[in-house]
Amino acid sequence: GEIHRQRGEWDDAARMYEDCLDFLREKHEGRDHADVASALSTIGLVHDQRGDACLALRYLQDAALMRRRMAGEDGDRLDVSATLVYIGTILYRKGVLSVAMDLFTEALQIRRAALGDDHRDVAFVLYNVALVHQQRGCYEEAVEAYSETLRIEKLVLGDRHRDVSMTLFKLGEVNKAAGKLDEALRCFEESLAIERGFSSPSSPDDGPWAPTATDADAGQRGERQQRQQRGQQSPSAGGGPDHAAMARALNEIGNVHLARGDV
């Protein structure tokens, strides 16, 4: 199933994972088990990748319910959080913003309780919260969430990381939409400066995530894919110059100058 998934052969991958799920359910005699929940989550991820969001949600919701039961009130709920984020992301794409926000908010509470306020995984959920606020037109709340995301990313990743650049760009978007043109211009220019710093293929960066057979949790796997796809980055975003990101920033800088009358 993993080989088919990496090849993009979604139907074959789904069949293999379904057989695996049947085996695991029989092995564990229908009881809740981490392996069963992981298989449900992985099948949900595959169906999402093959374009069947409804079927993906069904499997992911089953995985989330099982993980909730296993964690109880006082257990480790980080696996629950990962699944909630992935469900929320699908619902966000479908325009179901209120439910997506509820899921992101719960996931954020779980992660803050388990990891503290300064963890990269907390920043990732905050970024999703900000996206929902931005889509709703709640720009003040979006600025707050993006700003907290940016604080954590700079703390954990440094000032010149590509995630920092994209968060700055999104912060510029919401400031521009809110009419705060000076702040928007500052964000776009800082984002552009970071992207220009990746002019050499040897520039340090995390690089694009590649799925592996040892990456067992599909919720976390889905998050890594979302990180890679954040802002619809171009394929060059792994270490060399991202010309599309630079073009977006330059375009927005021009738009801000136009809005200010700096022709």
Side-chain angles (χ1 to χ4, degrees):
E2 188 70 16
I3 291 171
H4 284 304
R5 191 183 63 81
Q6 292 188 40
R7 290 176 175 174
E9 299 165 351
W10 309 122
D11 290 342
D12 290 333
R15 281 194 293 271
M16 293 296 102
Y17 285 129
E18 287 278 6
D19 289 345
C20 178
L21 177 61
D22 290 342
F23 168 79
L24 289 170
R25 279 173 164 162
E26 182 177 351
K27 176 183 176 181
H28 298 292
E29 299 178 340
R31 296 188 299 269
D32 291 347
H33 192 276
D35 290 345
V36 177
S38 182
L40 285 165
S41 190
T42 299
I43 294 169
L45 176 67
V46 169
H47 285 304
D48 185 40
Q49 289 174 317
R50 64 188 286 270
D52 193 335
C54 292
L55 196 54
L57 286 170
R58 193 186 83 187
Y59 280 97
L60 288 165
Q61 287 164 348
D62 286 348
L65 287 171
M66 185 174 292
R67 283 173 167 162
R68 284 186 193 276
R69 291 195 297 267
M70 289 189 296
E73 292 298 324
D74 303 318
D76 183 357
R77 294 167 59 83
L78 286 174
D79 282 349
V80 176
S81 169
T83 310
L84 293 178
V85 169
Y86 203 66
I87 294 171
T89 302
I90 294 175
L91 292 173
Y92 171 83
R93 295 201 310 260
K94 291 172 69 68
V96 189
L97 299 182
S98 59
V99 181
M101 179 62 86
D102 289 343
L103 294 172
F104 291 147
T105 300
E106 183 181 355
L108 182 61
Q109 292 171 344
I110 292 170
R111 292 190 185 190
R112 278 179 163 159
L115 304 172
D117 290 334
D118 297 334
H119 197 281
R120 190 181 183 187
D121 289 346
V122 171
F124 179 77
V125 184
L126 274 167
Y127 185 91
N128 286 347
V129 168
L131 286 173
V132 177
H133 283 312
Q134 183 178 0
Q135 188 69 20
R136 284 174 158 179
C138 302
Y139 299 127
E140 184 176 341
E141 292 85 352
V143 166
E144 182 179 349
Y146 280 133
S147 296
E148 180 64 5
T149 301
L150 184 64
R151 181 194 69 79
I152 299 169
E153 288 176 343
K154 285 187 171 182
L155 179 67
V156 175
L157 304 172
D159 292 343
R160 313 299 293 178
H161 193 277
R162 194 148 266 156
D163 281 3
V164 172
S165 169
M166 182 51 61
T167 302
L168 280 164
F169 183 87
K170 299 299 288 184
L171 192 53
E173 283 187 334
V174 292
N175 275 302
K176 177 188 164 193
K180 300 177 181 179
L181 299 182
D182 290 344
E183 185 63 20
L185 183 60
R186 183 193 66 79
C187 292
F188 290 137
E189 288 178 339
E190 190 175 343
S191 175
L192 177 62
I194 294 171
E195 293 298 338
R196 280 177 166 162
F198 289 99
S199 58
S200 167
S202 61
S203 298
D205 188 67
D206 279 353
W209 171 80
T212 66
T214 58
D215 193 5
D217 186 85
Q220 294 172 5
R221 175 188 297 149
E223 288 196 24
R224 291 188 180 93
Q225 287 182 333
Q226 292 166 46
R227 292 186 208 274
Q228 179 184 345
Q229 295 163 1
R230 179 188 281 192
Q232 297 182 337
Q233 291 181 8
S234 68
S236 64
D242 186 347
H243 298 293
M246 286 190 284
R248 285 193 298 268
L250 284 165
N251 183 65
E252 289 296 346
I253 289 169
N255 288 336
V256 172
H257 282 300
L258 282 173
R260 293 168 62 178
D262 301 333
V263 180

